[in-house]
């Protein structure tokens, strides 16, 4: 449904640009507005889940609505305890505590940054994020179990 590209800003900061595939909205009367609305939903979620990333924003590149996101590395060792603990912490603190559920916890959506021994994690691709409901009790544990199996 979307594509992401590695990019850099005019000042040289590395970032990621996300666009919506035209094929996912081509039945809409205004394709660019439909793309922008999908990106706006994700931008709103970024601001609620990860408020410290103030540079996340919608922009237009080559007449295509795009979402500018921070760059994170992919985890190299999917069994590293510090990485797994950081993923669980972000799911609990950033999502669950804010009453959100992310329904696509997969390695392709995990980004990490290291600062010494500290591991910071974000879970990208918020297209499947929804408000938490009573039936979502234990979703973090289930997601972590599945993620560890796929390592």
């Amino acid at each position: 449904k979307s594509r992401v590209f590695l990019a850099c800003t005019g000042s040289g900061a590395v970032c990621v640009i996300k666009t919506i595939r035209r094929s996912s909205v081509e039945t809409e009367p205004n394709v660019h507005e439909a793309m922008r609305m999908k990106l706006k939903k994700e931008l709103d979620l970024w601001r609620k889940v990860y408020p410290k990333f103030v540079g996340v924003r919608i922009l237009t590149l080559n007449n295509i609505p795009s979402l500018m996101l921070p760059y994170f590395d992919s985890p190299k060792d999917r069994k590293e305890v510090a990485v797994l603990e950081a993923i669980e912490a972000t799911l609990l603190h950033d999502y669950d505590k804010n009453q959100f559920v992310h329904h696509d916890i997969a390695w392709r959506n995990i980004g990490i940054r290291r600062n010494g021994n500290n591991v910071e994690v974000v879970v990208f691709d918020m297209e499947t994020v929804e408000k938490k409901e009573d039936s979502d009790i234990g979703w973090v544990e289930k997601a972590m179990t599945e993620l560890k199996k796929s390592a």
Side-chain angles (χ1 to χ4, degrees):
K1 295 181 181 182
S2 62
R3 292 185 176 149
V4 293
F5 303 92
L6 187 60
C8 72
T9 65
S11 64
V14 178
C15 64
V16 172
I17 302 296
K18 179 176 183 172
T19 61
I20 302 298
R21 289 181 188 260
R22 186 178 190 88
S23 61
S24 73
V25 292
E26 65 189 359
T27 59
E28 298 291 329
N30 185 332
V31 170
H32 282 112
E33 186 58 26
M35 289 176 175
R36 187 170 302 284
M37 293 309 295
K38 284 186 175 222
L39 294 172
K40 173 79 168 83
K41 179 184 175 206
E42 187 153 351
L43 173 63
D44 291 344
L45 285 166
W46 267 89
R47 289 183 173 158
K48 291 173 184 168
V49 175
Y50 301 117
K52 68 181 176 180
F53 296 111
V54 294
V56 175
R57 64 181 181 270
I58 294 175
L59 38 90
T60 302
L61 299 172
N62 293 331
N63 202 30
I64 298 171
S66 307
L67 184 63
M68 188 168 85
L69 301 166
Y71 172 75
F72 281 76
D73 292 315
S74 295
K76 294 188 183 10
D77 181 357
R78 294 179 173 185
K79 296 184 180 188
E80 182 183 346
V81 172
V83 170
L84 292 169
E85 288 174 349
I87 294 168
E88 186 169 13
T90 198
L91 293 179
L92 289 169
H93 179 266
D94 299 322
Y95 284 90
D96 196 64
K97 182 178 169 189
N98 289 309
Q99 300 299 304
F100 290 109
V101 177
H102 194 305
H103 293 287
D104 192 15
I105 307 302
W107 288 107
R108 69 181 176 279
N109 294 333
I110 307 291
I112 67 168
R113 279 190 191 153
R114 294 183 185 274
N115 184 4
N117 290 332
N118 184 37
V119 178
E120 180 181 23
V121 169
V122 295
V123 182
F124 292 106
D125 201 0
M126 296 186 183
E127 291 176 35
T128 66
V129 173
E130 296 176 337
K131 282 302 259 180
K132 185 178 167 186
E133 297 181 10
D134 291 341
S135 62
D136 292 318
I137 301 292
W139 76 272
V140 172
E141 294 81 10
K142 290 175 190 168
M144 289 304 298
T145 299
E146 291 302 312
L147 191 66
K148 289 173 185 176
K149 283 183 191 175
S150 68

